[in-house]
Amino acid sequence: FWSKISRPIRGIMYHGWGSLVETGATNKGYVFTNPETQQVLTNLTHSVVQPLGPTLLQVPDRPADVAMLESFSSQIFAGRGSYGWSGSWEADMHLMLQWAHLQPKILFDETVVRDGLDAFKILVMPNCDVLTESVVAKIKAFQKRGGLVVADENLCPAILPDIVIPTYKRTGKADEDKAKLQEMAAGLRRELDPFYTRYTDSPNADIVLRCRQYRGSDYLFVLNDKRTYGHYVGHHGKVMEQGLPNTATVSVRRPGAFVYDLVAHRAVATKPHAGGAQFDLTLGPGDGRVFLLTSQKLATVQLKAPAQARRGGAVDVAVTVADAKGAPVAAVVPVKVDILDAKGQPAEFSGYYGAKDGKLALRLALAANDAPGTWTIRATELASGLSRTQKLVVAP
């Protein structure tokens, strides 16, 4: 779940209702086996998807400077490729890059030819045995201007790699394989350190970091990948499915940043570190977090709405999340809007929103049969928890 939502996706899908709840089905497809699944997904829906979804839908990826090539020509002519599954060297290389706290963008032959490689500093090339002349020309130009190529022993002879990572074949023992791949990831880190500076980092290899960005604000996702064998399928030794709690120190190379935990809705204490800031956190088993990092400290929520309205009319509501100078925050800020009618019941248009550039505009359509009396409009930004409330008298 956290790996999915850390990317700019439009939806989250699983293998059907029958895999989430007991239906009595006897087919051999995806079927319910773990009673904890539906409870965990329910909790994540209420604590992450609903409050943060409208915000995250507006936040793109942070521009990548590390890329990984999945070569179509190598898949066709050398039988390589992941084909969308994780049982391949290409997939393991991608895991290593995440454990090395790199954020790779996946490239394909046609995207290399179409867009070039000027945006990248590092190009990772697992199982790239066979390449077209046009792709080779782009890669050579990339190296000529100082770009680094990381590849294995299968690389097409036309390209000379700057760093070689020998292929690794899994043994089938999940704990040993993960330890080995993380050891290789640490080795790659050491080789890259003289030439490349990470934007986000952590000394903990079991922490996966991923960053999205809107204007000058970052949305840093922190995933807990610390696991062991459990009682579900762990006895087979193939999958470490039992999550373990974890602690981590995370650093970001942006000085003076204000950090907010968007899941806990609170400010996070930071301290200076290597040209930026760092902070500590504790994660539960299989847990994740998303942090907003902005150059403006959230200081106030401004709420503007008329004091009176009539049933059947419209009410324009403006919410602004601002800094101490009153300037809207240059970010998409999650906001919860509560509209309570005269009976204290939630009215239409109550819900979660993403305040783009710190601003949110709503038009409330009052029904002819809405309860007359004193209504309450409350706006709460879900970064630091600041709120503002205003009364609205609805006349018959």
Side-chain angles (χ1 to χ4, degrees), residues 13 21 30 37 63 104-105 118 147 190 194 221 233 247 254 309 321 340 343:
M13 289 165 280
V21 298
Y30 292 97
T37 302
K105 180 178 181 178
D118 289 345
R190 288 192 294 270
F221 292 81
V233 294
T247 58
R254 55 173 299 165
V321 182
L340 305 178
K343 298 179 180 179

Side-chain angles (χ1 to χ4, degrees), residues 78-297:
R80 304 297 190 180
S82 66
Y83 292 88
W85 299 93
S86 59
S88 68
W89 168 237
E90 291 89 339
D92 281 342
M93 178 67 87
H94 189 264
L95 278 175
M96 287 170 51
L97 296 177
Q98 293 180 88
W99 286 326
H101 298 126
L102 301 171
Q103 184 170 318
K105 180 178 181 178
I106 301 298
L107 302 182
F108 305 100
D109 295 6
E110 61 268 33
T111 53
V112 171
V113 174
R114 183 191 67 200
D115 303 330
L117 297 167
D118 289 345
F120 305 105
K121 298 177 180 178
I122 300 171
L123 176 63
V124 184
M125 302 176 64
N127 277 342
C128 289
D129 309 53
V130 182
L131 300 174
T132 61
E133 288 186 5
S134 56
V135 170
V136 168
K138 293 288 186 180
I139 295 173
K140 285 188 172 181
F142 166 77
Q143 283 187 297
K144 187 175 182 180
R145 68 165 179 79
L148 297 176
V149 168
V150 178
D152 52 39
E153 70 274 13
N154 298 320
L155 182 62
C156 167
I159 304 295
L160 182 64
D162 299 287
I163 297 175
V164 177
I165 304 293
T167 56
Y168 174 76
K169 185 175 178 58
R170 289 187 179 231
T171 65
K173 299 178 181 179
D175 52 349
E176 295 180 10
D177 289 332
K178 182 180 180 182
K180 179 61 178 178
L181 290 170
Q182 287 191 332
E183 177 187 327
M184 296 171 67
L188 175 60
R189 278 185 62 109
R190 288 192 294 270
E191 291 201 69
L192 287 175
D193 279 346
F195 312 103
Y196 180 79
T197 301
R198 291 161 191 77
Y199 185 64
T200 62
D201 204 359
S202 174
N204 189 334
D206 280 328
I207 291 294
V208 175
L209 304 173
R210 201 169 193 287
C211 202
R212 288 159 66 177
Q213 185 180 72
Y214 175 78
R215 291 180 64 184
S217 297
D218 291 312
Y219 297 75
L220 174 61
F221 292 81
V222 182
L223 290 63
N224 180 12
D225 193 35
K226 188 175 183 180
R227 292 173 283 118
T228 188
Y229 294 117
H231 300 296
Y232 179 45
V233 294
H235 55 282
H236 297 294
K238 301 292 186 181
V239 179
M240 292 188 290
E241 85 285 16
Q242 181 64 52
L244 296 173
N246 205 353
T247 58
T249 298
V250 176
S251 60
V252 184
R253 284 189 173 270
R254 55 173 299 165
F258 297 96
V259 181
Y260 299 94
D261 185 334
L262 297 186
V263 177
H265 316 308
R266 62 177 179 83
V268 176
T270 65
K271 51 188 175 183
H273 174 76
Q278 72 174 20
F279 56 94
D280 301 322
L281 71 157
T282 300
L283 295 168
D287 200 3
R289 286 287 190 277
V290 53
F291 298 92
L292 169 63
L293 290 83
T294 179
S295 299
Q296 297 166 273
K297 183 178 181 179

Side-chain angles (χ1 to χ4, degrees), residues 343-360:
K343 298 179 180 179
Q345 298 299 311
E348 190 179 5
F349 302 102
S350 292
Y352 298 101
Y353 297 87
K356 189 175 183 179
D357 298 315
K359 296 182 177 182
L360 174 65

